[in-house]
Amino acid sequence: MRLSMNTRYAVIHASFWGAYGSLWAFIALVLEYNGFASAQVGVVTSCATLLSVFLSPAVSSFLDARPGLENRHGAMALLTLAAALCLLVWLVPLPRPFVLGACFALIGAFLSSTPPFQNAMAMDANRCGIPVVYGFCRGVGSVSYAAAVLLLGFVLERHAPTLLLPIFAALTACGLIAMAGFRLPERPDEAADRPAEHRSIAAVLRSHPRFALTLLGCMFFFLTHTISNTYMNALVAKAGGTASAVGTSLAISAVLELPAMTLVSRLQKRFSPGFFLRFAAGAEVVKFLIFYLARSMPLIYLGHCMQFFQFAVYAPATVYYVAAALPERDQLKGQSLIYVAGSGLGGALGNLLGGRLLDRSGIQAALLLGTVSAAASLLTFCLSTREDSR
């Protein structure tokens, strides 16, 4: 039976986010099983985050210079490399911590660099007149991620984390097969004859100082968000939870994202993007206060329910904020800067500082850092978006 392009695109997202959840959601468990200390886990995940900041633009430039290649080819190349490295780690004993850590850092970088090309595939299809419903397909990915982390959390109660490696490779292979069939008809490049206007990043920041301040808030926001994601196992352990509780926690967060993002899209005409950013940062403060005070799993689960008001609001709000705060010529750079400041710099700092504090002082110290950083994010957003209202 021939799959429609919309169904095929949904399979691509389901496979990718299922694979992402099967490995990277449990990366701390995998690395600690292989003898990595918490600080070393932070170094590996930080390197993966920082590498992705440079890798994605590099692959984009490579594809732009070769008209015969499509965005799906970029995604396929990155995922093929990730799966190959994963199988190498699974089948071949590698020296620890440097070689093994470098392999996992590269796997993470390849994974983190893939979504922009998958997103572009949907836009390419729509421009060719092929209806692909991005929101629905991305929602399927969220459900797949939630199912993967929930089921694998229970599997890890009885099996070693090394089992995640072939599962990741198998799910990635399914996505690669779906991408191979995602072929679009050739069409003339309408933008080829229009020279792009280039402005440096420094020029964009000088022209929009409040936007630059918002980037600082994004860094603080993601620093906090990364601590709870990367060191989920330590967070759950302090409340007496096990690996299955880690999976349940991640699944709760993932399932709540789709309805919240849909709600923000519907309300964005009534409330400004700045309001949503402030709201998300406030929810993050509450979330980390719950984590800091929690001594039982019900409170940990309650904290994860705050994902509905926190990250699920923040993610679409940043897109709307850039669209409202910057002129069209700076839109692409603005979205890139949000990514670099948030998941890039903020993610790297969260991994490094969180891991170091976890090793030296325990999870409570890392959670205190996250709470302070969330408060700094709220304060920064209040200053940078104080006149942003409807």
Side-chain angles (χ1 to χ4, degrees):
M1 181 178 66
R2 184 177 179 82
L3 297 177
S4 69
M5 293 296 274
N6 201 61
T7 302
R8 191 179 296 275
Y9 189 65
V11 172
I12 290 171
H13 274 283
S15 301
F16 174 78
W17 290 108
Y20 190 96
S22 70
L23 179 62
W24 211 248
F26 298 100
I27 190 61
L29 285 174
V30 174
L31 291 175
E32 287 172 2
Y33 180 82
N34 282 281
F36 285 70
S38 296
Q40 292 174 321
V41 172
V43 171
V44 171
T45 52
S46 296
C47 288
T49 302
L50 292 174
L51 283 171
S52 68
V53 171
F54 301 99
L55 181 60
S56 184
V59 176
S60 296
S61 299
F62 182 85
L63 294 178
D64 288 340
R66 292 159 178 80
L69 297 179
E70 303 171 15
N71 284 304
R72 69 186 178 98
H73 293 129
M76 291 175 69
L78 290 167
L79 290 178
T80 299
L81 290 171
L85 273 178
C86 198
L87 290 175
L88 176 67
V89 169
W90 181 47
L91 297 172
V92 180
L94 298 175
R96 305 171 187 176
F98 297 108
V99 176
L100 186 61
C103 286
F104 276 113
L106 286 172
I107 291 170
F110 294 144
L111 283 176
S112 298
S113 301
T114 300
F117 301 101
Q118 291 181 329
N119 296 345
M121 288 167 60
M123 292 184 282
D124 291 342
N126 289 331
R127 283 194 292 266
C128 290
I130 299 173
V132 170
V133 185
Y134 174 79
F136 167 77
C137 296
R138 180 59 182 85
V140 171
S142 292
V143 173
S144 176
Y145 177 93
V149 297
L150 182 61
L151 294 174
L152 291 174
F154 289 104
V155 170
L156 292 176
E157 294 281 352
R158 297 176 176 81
H159 299 278
T162 50
L163 179 65
L164 300 176
L165 302 176
I167 292 175
F168 169 83
L171 289 171
T172 301
C174 293
L176 290 171
I177 293 171
M179 285 187 196
F182 197 85
R183 300 176 183 274
L184 301 177
E186 293 185 7
R187 68 179 188 88
D189 188 356
E190 298 175 356
D193 298 327
R194 294 198 302 266
E197 181 180 358
H198 295 285
R199 291 223 305 165
S200 68
I201 291 175
V204 173
L205 296 178
R206 281 197 302 268
S207 302
H208 309 284
R210 288 177 58 191
F211 175 72
L213 186 59
T214 300
L215 294 179
L216 182 63
C218 292
M219 185 199 73
F220 285 129
F221 185 96
F222 240 91
L223 190 158
T224 299
H225 184 66
T226 300
I227 289 175
S228 63
N229 281 354
T230 302
Y231 304 107
M232 179 81 69
N233 56 326
L235 173 62
V236 167
K238 82 151 186 163
T242 59
S244 63
V246 173
T248 302
S249 298
L250 291 168
I252 290 172
S253 297
V255 166
L256 291 174
E257 288 182 8
L258 181 59
M261 290 181 180
T262 303
L263 185 61
V264 170
S265 298
R266 291 187 175 185
L267 294 176
Q268 57 101 9
K269 292 184 179 180
R270 295 182 57 187
F271 300 97
S272 71
F275 167 82
F276 285 121
L277 288 176
R278 297 190 297 270
F279 182 88
E284 188 170 60
V285 174
V286 175
K287 177 180 180 177
F288 261 67
L289 283 174
I290 293 173
F291 284 157
Y292 185 80
L293 298 172
R295 294 294 183 272
S296 64
M297 282 310 302
L299 278 179
I300 296 294
Y301 292 144
L302 175 63
H304 284 294
C305 288
M306 293 298 296
Q307 186 90 347
F308 183 93
F309 305 102
Q310 179 235 356
F311 183 74
V313 172
Y314 168 87
T318 55
V319 176
Y320 298 136
Y321 177 80
V322 171
L326 300 182
E328 185 176 353
R329 63 179 180 178
D330 295 331
Q331 293 282 310
L332 183 57
K333 283 189 175 65
Q335 298 290 355
S336 299
L337 286 170
I338 289 283
Y339 172 82
V340 170
S343 59
L345 184 56
L349 288 174
N351 285 324
L352 286 171
L353 297 178
R356 186 170 295 274
L357 283 174
L358 186 59
D359 276 345
R360 292 186 174 183
S361 306
I363 185 62
Q364 287 297 93
L367 292 175
L368 181 59
L369 170 66
T371 305
V372 172
S373 179
S377 175
L378 175 58
L379 176 61
T380 306
F381 285 150
C382 286
L383 293 174
S384 66
T385 66
R386 62 187 183 276
E387 298 173 2
D388 181 23
S389 61
R390 289 285 163 91

